[in-house]
């Protein structure tokens, strides 16, 4: 899409839902709340995703300021997360949800961003990389080492 079309916003929402962080290192989770949002409007994301044959739901909110429920003034809504498994099991602590997501999909935020959001320049770099560099990139992203036997690539799980 064109610059400014909203691709990064979508990737930020997906990445935040999964990992509690924005997709890029130059954006903080506190930046994900629109400055145009009404003070009483909750800031949250819900992502329903399929992994393998199973469907999971993750909900998150960043830390943000909201009006107090009683009285005047504002209070800080703490960051929170919830992961619901296909069998209905629910995990609710931030650290536990973060750990469960990493264990489930086998990627942390950095690796997910490399895989899901490979920029045009990075893709070009990957295509033009020599064999050693390409092996390192694939090893880092996918957890495999590629060797060649009889001129054919053979992948070995790390």
């Amino acid at each position: 899409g064109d610059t400014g079309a909203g691709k990064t916003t979508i990737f930020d929402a997906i990445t935040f839902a999964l990992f509690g962080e924005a997709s890029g290192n130059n954006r903080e989770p506190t930046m994900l709340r629109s400055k145009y949002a009404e003070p009483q409007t909750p800031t949250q994301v819900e992502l329903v995703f399929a992994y393998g044959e199973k469907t999971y739901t993750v909900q998150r909110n960043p830390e943000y300021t909201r009006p107090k429920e009683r009285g005047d003034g504002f209070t800080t809504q703490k960051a929170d997360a919830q992961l619901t498994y296909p069998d209905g099991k629910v995990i609710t602590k931030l650290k536990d949800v973060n750990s469960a997501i990493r264990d489930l999909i086998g990627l942390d935020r950095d690796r997910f961003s490399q895989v899901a959001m490979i920029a045009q320049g990075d893709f070009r770099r990957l295509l033009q990389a020599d064999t050693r560099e390409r092996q390192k990139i694939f090893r880092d992203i996918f957890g495999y080492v590629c060797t060649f036997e009889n001129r054919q690539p053979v992948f070995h799980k790390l």
Side-chain angles (χ1 to χ4, degrees), residues 80-99:
D80 199 10
Q82 176 178 307
L83 173 64
T84 305
Y85 285 85
D87 65 2
K89 175 183 169 186
V90 177
I91 297 176
T92 57
K93 293 183 180 174
L94 270 176
K95 284 174 55 175
D96 294 341
V97 171
N98 293 345
S99 179

Side-chain angles (χ1 to χ4, degrees), residues 20-46:
E21 301 176 59
S23 61
N25 292 328
N26 59 343
R27 291 178 305 284
E28 296 293 322
T30 55
M31 298 169 71
L32 299 177
R33 181 173 168 85
S34 171
K35 64 183 179 181
Y36 302 108
E38 295 293 328
Q40 67 276 11
T41 301
T43 298
Q44 60 190 24
V45 65
E46 178 178 287

